[in-house]
Structure formats: C-alpha cells, structure tokens
Amino acid sequence: MSESTLVPLQRLREQLRAPRTSPILPLQGPQSATREPIDRLGRPLRDLRISVTDRCNFRCGYCMPRDVFGSDHPFLPQPQLLSFEEITRTARIFLGLGVRKLRLTGGEPLLRRHLERLVEQLAQLRTLDGQAPELTLTTNGSILARKAQALRDAGLHRLTVSLDALDDAVFKRMNDADFPVADVLTGIEAAQAAGLGPIKVNMVVQRGVNDDQILPMARYFRGTGIELRFIEFMDVGNTNAWQMDQVLPSSQVRQRIHEQFPLQAAASQRAGETAERWSYADGQGSVGFISSVTKAFCGDCNRLRLSTDGQLFTCLFASRGHDLRTLLRADQGHSDGDIAAGLRHLWSQREDQYSQLRAQGVAPEHRIEMSYIGG
C-alpha cells in the first residue's frame, strides 16, 4: 500500500467506527393514528431489512475490501449489538406500521450465534392483517449446508444466496478468502432439500472481473427452480473503488443470455420489487436484473434498513442513520406506541431517491458501508 493511501484509509476507518446518526423525532404523535405511513414521494413502508452482524468471512472487493476491512478492523463489540429480543420488539412495531416482509442480512448473518432462535421469535409475529410476515435471509452460503435445516425448522421461509462466479479461481479471487465455490453450491442444495424456497441467487457483475461467468451461471441454474439475478456493480459506501466503466448494464447482460437462451418479459410479482424479471422462452425458469445504476427503481422503493447496533437507514445509499437503540434502551422506558409514533414521523419525512439523483450528477460525499447496514 502506498504512503499516499494511508490518510484516506485512516479517514475511512474513522468514519466506519462512528457512522453519523440523528435522533428519531418526534416521539409524541397522534396515538390514535392507524393509517399506514406514506413517505413524501407516496411510497408505503413494506420491507424491513435487519442486519444482525457487521462481520463477514468474505472480503469481496465491492463490499468489504481487505485493505480497509483487514485483521485490525474494529468490528462492533457485542454489547453494542441489538439483542434478539430488541430486534423482535422492533420488528413487531414495524409490522404494526404496515411492514410485511422481514429480511435478515449482515455482514454474513449466519455468523451470528444461534440465529435460528431469532428466526423462531420473528416467525411468531403477525402483520396488520394477521398473517405471518414473509421471513427471508441473505447469505454468502459459506456455512449454509450445516444451518439450512435448523433455519427451516425455526420458521425461515426462503433465502437469497450471493454467488458471483462458478469458476473456482474467479470466485476465490472475488471473495478474497480462498473459499471454494463447491461449498456454496452444497449449501444451496442443502437449502433446497430443507424446503427453503423459492431460492434466489444474486450475482454482482463487474465488467472485466466476472462478466465471463454470466452464461455459465445462467446455464447452471436454468431448470433448477432457482432464480438467478444479475446485479449491476453499485457505488455503495466509499471503499469499493466504484467506477462507472466497471458497470455492465443489465441490458447487455440480458442480451448475452438472450442470444443463447431466448428470454421474454415476465410480470412483476409485487410492488417495490427490485428485480426486473424475464422468463426463458422454453419454460426453464426465469432470471432477474437489478439495475440500480442504469435503470433506477427509487420510485416504488418501500424498504428501510436496521443496522446491527440499532441505527435506521432510509436508503441503501444513505449518509446518515437514525438512532433507535437509545429509545429501546432508555432508562425511562419508551412504549411501543411512543416508538411507533417516532418511526411513523421518520418515514413520513423520507424523500430518498439516490439512484435517480446519481444520474443527474448528485451524490452525497459520504455513504454508509453496505456491510454495516446490509444489502
């Protein structure tokens, strides 16, 4: 590492240690309010993404590059993490505001000890209409083979596995942990056998890095019942050395696949869905394209993110969070109704549309790292 990079890296590490936060205000609000909150752009709150750890055993360059997240990186100490009971309380409050889907993320969420206990607690919760929330998880698949059955037994519905290549050399180079692709594929098979599904596989595509894996990945997952989704390389955080020339537009990815396996447009499954879905013309399943860079989908984004230490972020590209942990642990004790009023206010003031503004040359100077708030 050159001497000229030391100062920027030091500053980045300081930012990672102390993400900027704001309080959730006001706590007091109309206690009789029952209408589900709508943000300033008319978007409802439907999806809560819960990070359960900031740790990961991979060092993927687009998320946790090793030169920043090295062996000396100060991960959050255990007392700062939300307990399973605090997470469950938070999820219950959000379900009362209209949330219908809970996704567990990280870091790598399966590194959180006894995660199945949290899954079991969340599976007992109910949405406003009395239904069990959709309960899902995103993982790198590294220890999925030995966790899949316990997660299913605890009540997990489905999961998404991150997998950026089938070629072992390419995959190891990208995860920067010498982890073999065969073990991830074994984990996916174990998840299928346990009845977790439908399973989705996410591939982050970087031009000149792993774009030669597009067709092998499509070929491998066709006809398996697993939906493969291609994600444009995004400028999340400040450490992944994002450059526009490394972005391979989804339209080009789709064309490559279409030339080998003809595709036809498929209907969206729900409002706020991040992926544009296309079906194989021969009926062998479907693929998805997440085009946050070239085809922003901010207009119907209905997601909010909770970091592992209890900070709320209204956008994946946020520069500032909102402190929920203090309210959960306050000595005077805030009721669920008080906290719900604060969350209702927070969402009602939301106007995030980063991906659309990026196209206009507008971007915040500092963005929270994806490994801290989950993808």
Side-chain angles (χ1 to χ4, degrees):
M1 186 182 302
S2 67
E3 184 177 350
S4 63
T5 65
L6 293 178
V7 172
L9 285 178
Q10 182 179 355
R11 289 174 180 167
L12 283 171
R13 287 177 175 135
E14 290 172 353
Q15 291 172 342
L16 290 169
R17 288 190 187 100
R20 293 179 291 177
T21 60
S22 302
I24 298 174
L25 295 172
L27 276 181
Q28 298 303 318
Q31 297 303 308
S32 61
T34 57
R35 184 173 62 84
E36 298 171 25
I38 301 295
D39 75 6
R40 290 184 173 182
L41 300 181
R43 300 169 295 191
L45 173 58
R46 293 286 182 262
D47 185 332
L48 177 63
R49 303 196 169 190
I50 303 168
S51 176
V52 296
T53 180
D54 62 333
R55 299 171 185 267
C56 186
N57 53 347
F58 285 8
R59 286 297 177 268
C60 303
Y62 59 79
C63 182
M64 295 182 70
R66 189 174 294 278
D67 60 350
V68 177
F69 297 88
S71 58
D72 61 341
H73 181 73
F75 290 103
L76 291 166
Q78 187 69 29
Q80 291 188 24
L81 309 188
L82 292 184
S83 68
F84 288 169
E85 290 71 26
E86 289 170 328
I87 292 173
T88 301
R89 181 189 179 194
T90 299
R92 181 184 296 110
I93 294 171
F94 272 108
L95 291 174
L97 294 174
V99 164
R100 300 172 185 173
K101 177 179 176 181
L102 304 173
R103 176 180 293 276
L104 301 179
T105 70
E108 169 47 46
L110 296 186
L111 294 181
R112 181 79 183 255
R113 294 184 61 190
H114 309 303
L115 184 67
E116 60 275 10
R117 296 179 185 174
L118 174 61
V119 172
E120 187 172 18
Q121 291 178 31
L122 296 175
Q124 304 305 311
L125 302 179
R126 292 296 178 264
T127 62
L128 283 174
D129 58 3
Q131 302 298 311
E134 182 180 357
L135 187 54
T136 184
L137 175 146
T138 297
T139 174
N140 63 26
S142 59
I143 55 177
L144 181 57
R146 64 177 186 263
K147 288 281 191 176
Q149 190 62 59
L151 291 168
R152 182 68 183 92
D153 293 344
L156 189 72
H157 296 144
R158 63 177 184 83
L159 52 79
T160 298
V161 180
S162 299
L163 179 62
D164 296 323
L166 280 180
D167 181 273
D168 207 47
V170 176
F171 182 64
K172 287 181 176 179
R173 187 166 63 247
M174 292 194 70
N175 67 54
D176 196 16
D178 200 36
F179 195 88
V181 69
D183 288 3
V184 178
L185 297 177
T186 298
I188 293 173
E189 292 171 1
Q192 282 187 300
L196 288 166
I199 295 172
K200 296 178 180 179
V201 170
N202 283 351
M203 175 183 176
V204 175
V205 180
Q206 291 179 256
R207 188 193 299 273
V209 177
N210 67 333
D211 57 317
D212 63 337
Q213 296 295 294
I214 293 169
L215 288 178
M217 289 280 286
R219 187 175 295 112
Y220 184 89
F221 288 107
R222 264 173 47 86
T224 63
I226 293 172
E227 181 177 295
L228 175 61
R229 304 193 302 180
F230 299 92
I231 303 176
E232 292 178 342
F233 177 39
M234 293 183 287
D235 52 333
V236 179
N238 305 273
T239 65
N240 67 3
W242 182 85
Q243 296 291 331
M244 187 65 192
D245 60 8
Q246 277 196 311
V247 177
L248 186 66
S250 291
S251 59
Q252 295 183 31
V253 177
R254 186 170 62 248
Q255 184 59 34
R256 290 192 194 185
I257 298 172
H258 180 71
E259 289 172 356
Q260 293 289 319
F261 309 110
L263 296 170
Q264 55 193 21
S268 297
Q269 294 177 316
R270 73 187 75 191
E273 191 175 67
T274 58
E276 185 180 75
R277 298 177 63 249
W278 288 69
S279 299
Y280 291 113
D282 61 4
Q284 293 298 301
S286 61
V287 289
F289 301 92
I290 300 176
S291 313
S292 177
V293 177
T294 64
K295 194 175 180 181
F297 42 81
C298 302
D300 59 359
C301 177
N302 54 21
R303 294 171 291 285
L304 189 146
R305 292 169 170 83
L306 174 68
S307 73
T308 187
D309 60 343
Q311 312 303 314
L312 288 165
F313 295 86
T314 56
C315 179
L316 178 60
F317 304 95
S319 59
R320 184 180 298 275
H322 302 268
D323 183 11
L324 177 62
R325 187 182 64 190
T326 297
L327 301 184
L328 294 172
R329 297 182 179 180
D331 292 338
Q332 66 270 33
H334 294 295
S335 70
D336 286 4
D338 287 340
I339 295 176
L343 298 177
R344 181 184 297 277
H345 172 78
L346 172 65
W347 189 263
S348 70
Q349 299 303 304
R350 177 185 187 244
E351 53 187 2
D352 301 273
Q353 46 184 328
Y354 173 86
S355 293
Q356 290 179 238
L357 294 175
R358 180 208 293 114
Q360 303 171 23
V362 179
E365 180 180 351
H366 174 72
R367 297 180 296 281
I368 301 299
E369 296 300 315
M370 182 167 60
S371 60
Y372 175 67
I373 61 174

